[in-house]
């Protein structure tokens, strides 16, 4: 888990700084800045600022959690039931502002669990997640989008 946390803290933002706001991914409909802002919303779920009801229950929730804890990546073109067919318009005037907002939300995520290490936050797909589970999910999600935009092989 430490390597995933280190990647999120040290490498993720650095790699995003090499992404053009209008870059097109190898799959999907978001451009570079829309992806950064989408990822920021995911971090807001992980840090408890954006709360949504859990969409999965029972066996389906368990399947999602099993996937979460595996090393299997998200598949290309994985559909997110919370997103529409077309990406949301950008919120920030520049990619730099979008990345700064993402970094601030990540910092709040780290701080939340530093102050409350036994707390959980609720993810709409995976249910209540600990710090370790959130790190695993954020890392898996980050890898997915970095590969989408050619920033990781």
């Amino acid at each position: 888990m430490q390597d995933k946390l280190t990647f999120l803290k040290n490498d993720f933002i650095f790699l995003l700084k090499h992404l053009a706001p209008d870059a097109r991914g190898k799959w999907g409909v978001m451009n570079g800045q829309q992806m950064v802002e989408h990822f920021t919303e995911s971090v807001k779920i992980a840090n408890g600022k954006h709360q949504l009801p859990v969409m999965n229950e029972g066996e389906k929730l368990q399947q999602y959690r099993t996937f979460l804890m595996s090393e299997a990546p998200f598949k290309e073109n994985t559909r997110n039931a919370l997103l529409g067919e077309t990406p949301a318009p950008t919120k920030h005037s520049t990619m730099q502002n979008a990345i700064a907002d993402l970094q601030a939300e990540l910092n709040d995520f780290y701080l939340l669990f530093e102050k409350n290490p036994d707390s959980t936050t609720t993810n709409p797909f995976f249910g209540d997640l600990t710090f370790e589970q959130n790190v695993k999910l954020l890392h898996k999600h980050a890898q997915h989008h970095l590969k989408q935009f050619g920033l990781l092989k």
Side-chain angles (χ1 to χ4, degrees), residues 103-115:
Q103 182 65 72
E105 294 301 335
L106 282 166
N107 291 345
D108 287 350
F109 168 71
Y110 306 134
L111 188 59
L112 168 72
F113 285 97
E114 184 180 305
K115 289 182 175 179

Side-chain angles (χ1 to χ4, degrees), residues 20-117:
D22 60 349
R24 303 308 304 176
K26 296 176 183 176
W27 67 84
V29 295
M30 290 184 281
N31 66 29
Q33 185 168 334
Q34 289 166 327
M35 180 275 290
V36 169
E37 292 182 7
H38 153 74
F39 199 92
T40 301
E41 292 303 311
S42 297
V43 176
K44 286 181 179 180
I45 291 170
N47 69 22
K49 291 183 184 177
H50 194 125
Q51 298 178 357
L52 300 167
V54 178
M55 300 169 62
N56 298 317
E57 55 187 48
E59 188 174 319
K60 188 171 184 180
L61 178 60
Q62 189 53 48
Q63 289 171 344
Y64 270 65
R65 291 174 73 85
T66 298
F67 166 75
L68 168 63
M69 296 314 290
S70 75
E71 292 302 318
F74 284 111
K75 293 178 183 172
E76 294 179 8
N77 285 310
T78 297
R79 295 284 307 138
N80 181 329
L82 298 175
L83 301 178
E85 292 294 318
T86 57
T90 56
K91 298 175 185 175
H92 296 284
S93 59
T94 67
M95 179 68 126
Q96 292 79 9
N97 289 345
I99 291 172
D101 187 33
L102 172 56
Q103 182 65 72
E105 294 301 335
L106 282 166
N107 291 345
D108 287 350
F109 168 71
Y110 306 134
L111 188 59
L112 168 72
F113 285 97
E114 184 180 305
K115 289 182 175 179
N116 307 290

